[in-house]
C-alpha cells in the first residue's frame, strides 16, 4: 500500500488489518512509555489548506508516537496566501525529503492529484478533500464501533447504523458509508431532502427523511456536523427547525435501543445537530473517537511507511 | 536435510531448561516467562507447564517485537502480533525471554527494547531451544536446549505441535 486516498481503494481485509494493527498498538502504547521507535528517521508533513483541530493534532501525535519527524504546514501564514500553487508547494516539500504527506484541502480530488501527478514521491494520505472522502475518519469510526460491539469482529452484518444530518457536504459520510458497507453493516442515511445529494441511490444505502421512524432500531447513531461554512444558500428554514427534525435531543436519546452508541466526528454544533445532554451522555463515544483516531492513524502510517522505501515506485496501492 | 531433535528430545531439553531456570532463580517467586512470537510463545507455555509440576505456578506472557525491529526498511510491514502482559506485570521481576532459535541476536535486541517499554524488570535472562551461532551482536543465551553448529547457508527449522502439527527440529540447506 503506497497511498491512502479513498476507502474505495482498499479491500475489507486491508481495512481490518489496519483496525487489528491499531488494536495491538493500543496495548503497546498503554504503558508508561507511549513512544515506539519504528518510524525513526522518517518525515511526515501535515499539509493543511483547511482549518482542523482534531485531524491535524491526531496525525501529529500518531507520527510522533512512532518517532517520525513531523512538519506542520498550514495555508494561513504561508506562501499559499501569496498565490503559490499546490504543485510548487508540493515540490518544496519533496525537496525537503518528506516520506509521507498528510493533506487536507477544500477541493475534492486534491489528494488524488498530488498522488498521481508525479510531483512528489512521498506516500499521500487523504485527511479530507472537499466533500469527497476522509478515509482515516471512517477507519477510526469503524475501530470505535468494533471496540463496543466485538473487538475482533470481522463482519459487521449484525449492525444497524444510521448516519444523520448534512450528507450533502459530508466527506465523513461518504467514507463511512463505503467502509461500513464493505464490512457488511446495514447503513441508513437520514437527512432533510435538501441535504441529500443527487444520485444517492447509487450509494446502495437506503435513505429516509424521517429520523423518528426507525430510531429504536439502530445500534449506532452517527450525527454529522451541519457544515454552515459550505452553505451559501438556505438548505433549511432555521436552526430550531433543523433540530426539531434531525437533532439528537434528550427525547430521541431516551428512545435509543439499549446498548446503542452515539457518534459524532466533531466539531459539534451543540444545540443544533446534537444537544449538549446527548453529547455528554454515557452513550456518547465522541471523546473515545478522538483517542482511537491517534491509534488508527498510527496504524495507517505504519502500513504506509513501515516497509522499504517506495520513493518513485508510483501508483496508488 | 537432517534431523536434529525429535519430539522426545525436545521434551527432554525443555525439562532440563525448566530445572535450570528454577535453580538459577532460587524458585519461582519473582519469575516471569515472556515468549517471543511465533514459536517462542508455545515454548514459553510448555516451560510454564513443566515448571508448574516441578516447583509451582509461574506467570507467562507474550512479547511482540515487530515495532522494535531494525529491518523495517528492508521488508514489507509485518502484521503485529498480540502482546500479553503476564499476571502481575514485569516491574521488578526476573524475566526469562523465550525463543525457538538464537541466530544473529537481532530479535533479542529488539525484545530487550520492547521489554523496556513495558516496565523495568529486576533481571532479564534468555532461554532458547536451539542456538545455531552466527551472532551479529554481543548477546548470549542463559539456557540452551541444544547448540547446533551450522553453516550460514543452512536454515534451522523448528516445528511445534501447537503451530505445525508435529514436534521436530531439522537443518535444511538453502539453495542459492
Amino acid at each position: 500500500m503506497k497511498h491512502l486516498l479513498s476507502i474505495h481503494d482498499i479491500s475489507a481485509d486491508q481495512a481490518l488489518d489496519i483496525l487489528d494493527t491499531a488494536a495491538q498498538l493500543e496495548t503497546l502504547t498503554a504503558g508508561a512509555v507511549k513512544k515506539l521507535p519504528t518510524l525513526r528517521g522518517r518525515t511526515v508533513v501535515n499539509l493543511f489548506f483547511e482549518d482542523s483541530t482534531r485531524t491535524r493534532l491526531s496525525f501529529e501525535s500518531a507520527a510522533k508516537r512512532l518517532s517520525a519527524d513531523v512538519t506542520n504546514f498550514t495555508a494561513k501564514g504561508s506562501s499559499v496566501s501569496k498565490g503559490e500553487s499546490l504543485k510548487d508547494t508540493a515540490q518544496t516539500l519533496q525537496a525537503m525529503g518528506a516520506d509521507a504527506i498528510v493533506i487536507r484541502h477544500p477541493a475534492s480530488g486534491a489528494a488524488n492529484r498530488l498522488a498521481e501527478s508525479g510531483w512528489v514521491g512521498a506516500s499521500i494520505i487523504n485527511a479530507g478533500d472537499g466533500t469527497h472522502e476522509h478515509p482515516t475518519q471512517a477507519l477510526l469510526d469503524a475501530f470505535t464501533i468494533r471496540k463496543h460491539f466485538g473487538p475482533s469482529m470481522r463482519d459487521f452484518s449484525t449492525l444497524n447504523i444510521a448516519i444523520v444530518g448534512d450528507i450533502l457536504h459530508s466527506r465523513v459520510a461518504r467514507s463511512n458509508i463505503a467502509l461500513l458497507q464493505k464490512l457488511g453493516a446495514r447503513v441508513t442515511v437520514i437527512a432533510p431532502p435538501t441535504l441529500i445529494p443527487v444520485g444517492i441511490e447509487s450509494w446502495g444505502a437506503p435513505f429516509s427523511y424521517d429520523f423518528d421512524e426507525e430510531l429504536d432500531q439502530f445500534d449506532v447513531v452517527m450525527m454529522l456536523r451541519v457544515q454552515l461554512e459550505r452553505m451559501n444558500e438556505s438548505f433549511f428554514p432555521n436552526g430550531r427547525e433543523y433540530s426539531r427534525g434531525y437533532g439528537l435531543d434528550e427525547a430521541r436519546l431516551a428512545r435509543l435501543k439499549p446498548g446503542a452508541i452515539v457518534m459524532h466526528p466533531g466539531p459539534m454544533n451543540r444545540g443544533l445537530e446534537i444537544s449538549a445532554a446527548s453529547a455528554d451522555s454515557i452513550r456518547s463515544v465522541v471523546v473515545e473517537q478522538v483517542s482511537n483516531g491517534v491509534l488508527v492513524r498510527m496504524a495507517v502510517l505504519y502500513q504506509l511507511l513501515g516497509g522499504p522505501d517506495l520513493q518513485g515506485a508510483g501508483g496508488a496501492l | 536435510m537432517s534431523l536434529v531433535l525429535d519430539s522426545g528430545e525436545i521434551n527432554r531439553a525443555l525439562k532440563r531448561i525448566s530445572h535450570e531456570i528454577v535453580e538459577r532463580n532460587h524458585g519461582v517467586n519473582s519469575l516471569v516467562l515472556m515468549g517471543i512470537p511465533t514459536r517462542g510463545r508455545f515454548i514459553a507455555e510448555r516451560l510454564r507447564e513443566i515448571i508448574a509440576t516441578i516447583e509451582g505456578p509461574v506467570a507467562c506472557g507474550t512479547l511482540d517485537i515487530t515495532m522494535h525491529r531494525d529491518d523495517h526498511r528492508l521488508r514489507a510491514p509485518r502484521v503485529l502480533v498480540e502482546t500479553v502482559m503476564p499476571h502481575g506485570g514485569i516491574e521488578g521481576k526476573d524475566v526469562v525471554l523465550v525463543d525457538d532459535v538464537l541466530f544473529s541476536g537481532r530479535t533479542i535486541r529488539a525484545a530487550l527494547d520492547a521489554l523496556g517499554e513495558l516496565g523495568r524488570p529486576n533481571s532479564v535472562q534468555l532461554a532458547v531451544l536451539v542456538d545455531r551461532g552466527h551472532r551479529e551482536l554481543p548477546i548470549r543465551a542463559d539456557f540452551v536446549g541444544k547448540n547446533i553448529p551450522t553453516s550460514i547457508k543452512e536454515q534451522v527449522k523448528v516445528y511445534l505441535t501447537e503451530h505445525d502439527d508435529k514436534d521436530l527440529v531439522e537443518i535444511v540447506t538453502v539453495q542459492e
Side-chain angles (χ1 to χ4, degrees), chain B residues 4 50 61 70 76 97 127 136 145 147 154:
Chain B
V4 184
I50 299 168
D70 60 4
L97 291 172
E136 292 163 5
N147 281 295
E154 290 170 326

Side-chain angles (χ1 to χ4, degrees), chain A:
Chain A
M1 198 155 100
K2 159 96 176 161
H3 305 301
L4 180 63
L5 304 174
S6 157
I7 289 295
H8 293 280
D9 294 341
I10 62 174
S11 66
D13 281 335
Q14 279 177 313
L16 288 166
D17 274 352
I18 292 173
L19 303 188
D20 286 341
T21 304
Q24 302 303 349
L25 286 169
E26 184 167 28
T27 41
L28 288 182
T29 52
V33 184
K34 291 191 168 52
K35 211 171 166 92
L36 295 164
T38 320
L39 297 184
R40 209 161 40 193
R42 303 281 194 182
T43 304
V44 176
V45 176
N46 285 327
L47 186 56
F48 278 65
F49 292 91
E50 212 181 64
D51 296 342
S52 162
T53 311
R54 249 159 298 268
T55 309
R56 193 174 54 77
L57 288 177
S58 177
F59 267 110
E60 186 173 346
S61 359
K64 283 182 174 166
R65 285 197 193 168
L66 290 172
S67 305
D69 296 315
V70 187
T71 307
N72 286 311
F73 171 98
T74 39
K76 268 178 209 149
S78 74
S79 289
V80 169
S81 48
K82 299 177 191 165
E84 189 173 44
S85 69
L86 179 59
K87 180 175 181 179
D88 291 328
T89 306
Q91 282 175 337
T92 305
L93 300 178
Q94 171 77 356
M96 288 175 181
D99 294 293
I101 298 176
V102 177
I103 178 173
R104 149 120 4 147
H105 200 281
S108 302
N112 279 65
R113 182 83 180 112
L114 204 53
E116 283 160 17
S117 58
W119 296 335
V120 290
S123 288
I124 309 294
I125 301 171
N126 184 0
D129 58 332
T131 59
H132 176 230
E133 281 231 35
H134 191 355
T136 56
Q137 177 72 42
L139 288 164
L140 79 89
D141 287 339
F143 183 76
T144 307
I145 292 172
R146 219 181 176 207
K147 274 181 90 170
H148 282 269
F149 294 94
S152 54
M153 209 155 79
R154 298 193 74 79
D155 175 13
F156 283 38
S157 60
T158 50
L159 296 180
N160 201 356
I161 299 171
I163 300 183
V164 189
D166 187 356
I167 308 292
L168 182 64
H169 300 103
S170 178
R171 53 193 173 214
V172 175
R174 282 167 182 77
S175 290
N176 257 307
I177 292 167
L179 180 63
L180 294 170
Q181 285 187 332
K182 215 173 266 252
L183 297 174
R186 179 176 186 273
V187 183
T188 307
V189 172
I190 299 165
T194 47
L195 290 174
I196 294 259
V198 174
I200 193 165
E201 297 80 8
S202 68
W203 294 8
F207 63 96
S208 159
Y209 304 138
D210 186 354
F211 192 11
D212 296 305
E213 194 183 342
E214 289 185 61
L215 187 60
D216 52 355
Q217 304 291 312
F218 298 118
D219 299 292
V220 177
V221 177
M222 192 181 293
M223 303 306 298
L224 299 174
R225 185 171 65 91
V226 175
Q227 304 196 26
L228 297 164
E229 78 278 16
R230 291 189 212 276
M231 293 184 190
N232 46 16
E233 47 202 287
S234 45
F235 286 90
F236 45 84
N238 58 48
R240 281 177 63 197
E241 187 162 330
Y242 180 85
S243 299
R244 209 173 315 130
Y246 300 94
L248 188 66
D249 53 19
E250 285 91 302
R252 288 200 173 101
L253 187 72
R255 285 187 50 212
L256 291 180
K257 179 170 160 177
I261 58 169
V262 173
M263 304 178 80
H264 192 298
M268 294 185 277
N269 295 314
R270 282 170 187 254
L272 185 55
E273 71 266 3
I274 189 164
S275 72
S278 304
D280 301 329
S281 79
I282 47 158
R283 291 181 185 279
S284 159
V285 297
V286 177
V287 178
E288 210 179 298
Q289 282 171 272
V290 178
S291 34
N292 292 341
V294 178
L295 296 170
V296 166
R297 285 167 181 132
M298 283 172 81
V300 168
L301 287 170
Y302 171 63
Q303 297 262 335
L304 296 185
L305 296 184
D309 281 315
L310 292 171
Q311 293 263 345
L317 300 164

Side-chain angles (χ1 to χ4, degrees), chain A residues 21 24-25 27-28 31-33 35-38 40-42 66 302-303 306-309, chain B residues 64 66-69 71-83 113 116-118:
Chain A
T21 304
Q24 302 303 349
L25 286 169
T27 41
L28 288 182
V33 184
K35 211 171 166 92
L36 295 164
T38 320
R40 209 161 40 193
R42 303 281 194 182
L66 290 172
Y302 171 63
Q303 297 262 335
D309 281 315
Chain B
D64 179 43
T66 313
M67 300 306 274
H68 296 271
R69 300 189 73 96
D71 58 356
H72 285 295
R73 282 169 182 255
L74 303 177
R75 48 201 305 170
R78 299 159 187 251
V79 176
L80 300 192
V81 191
E82 197 177 11
T83 290
D113 283 355
E117 238 137 76
L118 296 179

Side-chain angles (χ1 to χ4, degrees), chain B residues 58-126:
Chain B
V58 54
C60 184
T62 308
L63 184 66
D64 179 43
I65 59 144
T66 313
M67 300 306 274
H68 296 271
R69 300 189 73 96
D70 60 4
D71 58 356
H72 285 295
R73 282 169 182 255
L74 303 177
R75 48 201 305 170
R78 299 159 187 251
V79 176
L80 300 192
V81 191
E82 197 177 11
T83 290
V84 182
M85 278 295 272
H87 187 71
I90 60 161
E91 203 64 39
K93 298 292 173 71
D94 294 305
V95 174
V96 180
L97 291 172
V98 183
D99 204 359
D100 51 355
V101 180
L102 180 57
F103 182 27
S104 66
R106 288 175 192 267
T107 304
I108 304 306
R109 202 269 321 144
L112 290 170
D113 283 355
L115 204 57
E117 238 137 76
L118 296 179
R120 186 179 183 277
N122 180 49
S123 70
V124 183
Q125 300 155 32
L126 173 62

